[in-house]
Amino acid sequence: MEKSGFRVAVVMGSASDADALKPCFKTLEEYGIPFDVRIISAHRTPGAAFSFSSGARDAGYGVIIAAAGKAAHLAGAIAANTTLPVIGIPMKSSELDGLDALLSTVQMPSGVPVATVAINGAKNAALLAVQILAVSDGELAARLAGAKEEMRRETEAKDARAAELAGLC
């Protein structure tokens, strides 16, 4: 079931990020959010990053998810040129296990906000995008509330079996 209205753009800095972004794609599909996927590098194709981000609102996007590793300037470069919400996913792609990407993504200057999820946090990035779109979509908000209720029930069921799960019974 596809929702009408805004689309989400998922931009990755390198094709090597695609596998780690599969939970993002799956989550957006589960909520019926149409999305497009692009490979744009803040360093190798800065003109494309500018063109894409400055035209994203007119192209019908409501949220942009930007995934990049190492220096991870992609989310900030995109955020600098749009008024849309940008969600950065720092990718684990270097010897520093993604810490370099996390610091690059989270340390935006005042006036250029980027929401940042965990290293390789593709599913949470998608869920945050869905929550942003749900601000103006009651049906989507109800689906999110249902998913949170299901998580609560599952956790309570595990809590009831905590001793058993820990091997204490």
Side-chain angles (χ1 to χ4, degrees):
M1 152 181 141
E2 186 172 297
K3 298 283 303 164
S4 61
F6 290 118
R7 297 185 337 259
V8 170
V10 181
V11 182
M12 63 186 95
S14 170
S16 64
D17 298 327
D19 281 343
L21 290 174
K22 286 181 181 176
C24 176
F25 308 145
K26 181 180 180 201
T27 301
L28 291 171
E29 287 171 350
E30 287 171 356
Y31 280 92
I33 304 297
F35 64 95
D36 296 317
V37 180
R38 298 283 309 271
I39 298 172
I40 300 173
S41 170
H43 301 110
R44 295 180 191 102
T45 58
F50 173 80
S51 295
F52 171 79
S53 56
S54 62
R57 181 179 294 280
D58 289 339
Y61 295 109
V63 180
I64 301 170
I65 296 172
K70 297 184 180 177
H73 292 119
L74 184 60
I78 287 175
N81 297 297
T82 188
T83 57
L84 294 174
V86 176
I87 302 166
I89 306 173
M91 303 302 292
K92 184 177 180 178
S93 62
S94 74
E95 296 77 19
L96 299 176
D97 287 332
L99 183 58
D100 50 348
L102 173 65
L103 295 174
S104 294
T105 305
V106 79
Q107 292 294 339
M108 291 294 105
S110 180
V112 187
V114 170
T116 306
V117 296
I119 296 169
N120 282 14
K123 182 173 182 175
N124 272 355
L127 287 170
L128 182 54
V130 173
Q131 288 178 313
I132 291 168
L133 296 176
V135 166
S136 60
D137 185 326
E139 180 185 329
L140 202 50
R143 290 188 62 204
L144 283 164
K148 288 196 179 247
E149 176 61 21
E150 179 61 26
M151 280 192 304
R152 182 192 63 77
R153 283 193 301 266
E154 288 175 2
T155 301
E156 287 176 349
K158 290 174 186 172
D159 179 43
R161 299 184 3 247
E164 174 189 336
L165 293 171
L168 300 174
C169 295

